[in-house]
Amino acid sequence: PRSAERASEEWKKAETLGIRILDILHPDYPSLLREIFDPPAILYIRGKRWDSDLPQVAIVGTRRPTGYGINCAERFAEDLAARGLAVTSGLARGIDASAHRGALRSGTTYAVFGSGLDFVYPRENRKLAEITEEKGALVSEFPLGTPPSPENFPIRNRIIAGMSLGVVVVEGAEYSGSLITARLALEGNREVFAVPGNITSPNSFGPHVLIRQGAKLVANWQDIIEELPHPVRERVLLPLIAQMEAAPQPDLEGVEKKVWDLLSVHDAVSIDALLARVSLAASDTYTALLSLETLNLIRQLPGNKYVRRL
């Protein structure tokens, strides 16, 4: 009986604060989060733009970033949000806050708390939390009144990783919490991306370790989109492809035009397949590819493959 009373009190308090409580079977509960080993039984949600079907990409990193890390986090977040993805992070100072700010410029962001939603931590991000609530949502599994205890943050990291299709690590030192999030992403069969940094900076330790272990090195938003599931990739790229196809063709001649005509924005073409189809000397083909890259018309992907640049 006492548990039922406490649950009723919690429900009324949440309603007063404009917070929704979703159980794991609720249709608005993130379907990806249900797939992890230990999904939270309930989620507290406060925000005007919560959409559990919106594909999410997490951006995480150190609480003590460099200027380079801040710029990278904001740029990646802004570019991804502008293309219809939600950017998820933990509202911590540093990279997390930068990711939220970048996403808010162009789209939606979700902040996962390591406390009850009636505690904003750190306090310096209170205004950022208010804007996130207006243009996205605040999320937690912790009951109202739960303080931001240190042990809560590794626990909440599994929600950040679990709701997302992939996790981007921007900067992180040797014992950074962002490495915990990356490990949880791997355990949940999610993509892990890492932004390379200065080899002399301690903050580059985390991303560089992940890259050595097989995480994808990313330099722009396209590098992330290419690794996401096909329906998401198609949804993001189709408008850009249509816009590109409607644009006038570049003024090319000779070998460059032949190589360009064999490439597309849809599928990457390996160098072996290209050489077999172009009927030109390998040296001429490589020269044409280099020229097209210099003109910013094509991109080289891992595995020595090429696509037209969007």
Side-chain angles (χ1 to χ4, degrees):
R2 178 56 186 152
S3 295
E5 290 174 12
R6 290 173 58 194
S8 178
E9 291 169 4
E10 183 83 349
W11 187 274
K12 290 176 183 177
K13 186 177 180 182
E15 284 186 329
T16 302
L17 295 173
I19 296 171
R20 300 173 64 197
I21 300 179
L22 309 179
D23 67 74
I24 195 169
L25 299 178
H26 195 285
D28 288 340
Y29 189 100
S31 56
L32 276 180
L33 189 57
R34 291 193 190 101
E35 298 176 2
I36 68 172
F37 173 72
D38 54 347
I42 62 170
L43 286 179
Y44 294 75
I45 307 286
R46 183 165 68 186
K48 297 183 178 179
R49 294 192 181 179
W50 171 253
D51 181 356
S52 60
D53 293 328
L54 193 63
Q56 302 176 40
V57 171
I59 298 179
V60 297
T62 179
R63 287 174 170 79
R64 298 179 179 83
T66 64
Y68 165 79
I70 291 171
N71 289 335
C72 285
E74 291 189 2
R75 190 190 76 186
F76 276 103
E78 183 174 2
D79 287 345
L80 291 169
R83 286 155 181 91
L85 282 78
V87 174
T88 303
S89 198
L91 201 75
R93 61 174 58 94
I95 294 299
D96 287 21
S98 299
H100 292 304
R101 282 194 294 267
L104 287 168
R105 294 192 194 118
S106 58
T108 301
T109 187
Y110 299 145
V112 184
F113 279 32
S115 63
L117 289 185
D118 47 350
F119 278 94
V120 176
Y121 178 82
R123 291 184 180 181
E124 67 200 57
N125 286 342
R126 189 179 299 275
K127 184 64 177 178
L128 181 59
E130 292 174 1
I131 301 172
T132 299
E133 184 180 343
E134 287 292 318
K135 297 186 177 182
L138 311 177
V139 182
S140 179
E141 71 171 309
F142 295 105
L144 298 172
T146 303
S149 303
E151 64 269 17
N152 292 349
F153 294 97
I155 296 171
R156 71 91 194 266
N157 287 351
R158 83 188 196 289
I159 298 179
I160 296 175
M163 293 199 303
S164 304
L165 294 167
V167 173
V168 183
V169 179
V170 177
E171 285 187 323
E174 185 171 0
Y175 300 108
S176 172
S178 58
L179 296 182
I180 297 175
T181 310
R183 177 178 57 79
L184 292 167
L186 285 172
E187 291 175 356
N189 199 28
R190 307 294 195 261
E191 298 292 340
V192 176
F193 308 97
V195 179
N198 185 335
I199 61 172
T200 64
S201 171
N203 280 344
S204 299
F205 179 91
H208 291 178
V209 164
L210 292 173
I211 291 169
R212 286 197 297 270
Q213 292 175 347
K216 181 173 182 180
L217 185 155
V218 293
N220 51 53
W221 66 270
Q222 293 101 322
D223 293 334
I224 297 169
I225 297 297
E226 285 162 359
E227 302 300 323
L228 300 184
H230 179 73
V232 176
R233 192 167 65 245
E234 190 174 59
R235 170 178 165 182
V236 172
L237 296 181
L238 272 181
L240 299 175
I241 292 170
Q243 180 181 353
M244 182 178 176
E245 290 176 342
Q249 294 292 305
D251 186 17
L252 300 172
E253 296 179 349
V255 179
E256 291 177 4
K257 180 168 178 28
K258 288 183 179 180
V259 172
W260 168 263
D261 289 341
L262 291 172
L263 299 176
S264 76
V265 293
H266 299 279
D267 300 304
V269 180
S270 69
I271 186 63
D272 293 332
L274 193 60
L275 289 171
R277 293 162 59 187
V278 78
S279 300
L280 293 167
S283 59
D284 293 337
T285 304
Y286 276 110
T287 300
L289 288 169
L290 180 60
S291 176
L292 292 170
E293 279 192 274
T294 304
L295 293 170
N296 209 28
L297 294 174
I298 67 171
R299 303 178 61 233
Q300 182 178 4
L301 304 180
N304 220 7
K305 297 180 178 180
Y306 293 86
V307 292
R308 293 184 184 183
R309 184 180 287 276
L310 291 169

